[in-house]
Amino acid sequence: MTITFHQVLHNELPTVLNLFKEAAEKIAKKHIDHWQYWKNPPAEKIEWVQDGINKNEYFFIKNTNHATIGMVRILNEDILYWGEQKEPALYVHSLIVKEAYNGSGLGKLVLEAIAGQAKSKQRKFLRLDADSKNPKLCKYYENLGFNKVGKKTLPLSTYNLYEKTIL
């Protein structure tokens, strides 16, 4: 499958929030307490998304038919979760694959494409986090070669921090 990344525009905030809501509902069906706040997001989460859109960090993932099949946020730094870091990295947040594409290898393909961006930008690591209450997701990232290097506790949950060496 060929994918492309398309910058999320300011007027597309409702689409972004809907993708989060769909993902939360999909996760709830699996009886996993992860991302449930996206069903009715608190103001600080909406502001976090708006900030990312303002910084050109959110991207829709589209297939060859230009259909939106997912979304991802790509950051040059992630102070909230990772703090100040000495080694250059790209950070991945909010990776969502629409339910119809689950099991197609799309998540792996997206992360490989972002790792390629990291390499071209001379970043040593690709970093992401996963809610510790979602062991299946944590195992998924570990199976893709990400190493757990820490934890971060925030008001809504505790997150495992993962990184993968690129260079």
Side-chain angles (χ1 to χ4, degrees), residues 76-92:
N76 290 311
E77 64 179 2
D78 186 357
I79 302 300
L80 179 61
Y81 287 77
W82 287 81
E84 293 284 338
Q85 296 290 313
K86 293 179 183 175
E87 295 288 345
L90 276 187
Y91 298 83
V92 175

Side-chain angles (χ1 to χ4, degrees), residues 146-163:
F146 285 86
N147 297 307
K148 183 180 171 188
V149 296
K151 284 189 171 200
K152 176 69 177 188
T153 300
L154 293 172
L156 294 173
S157 195
T158 297
Y159 302 87
N160 293 337
L161 302 178
Y162 291 97
E163 72 180 14

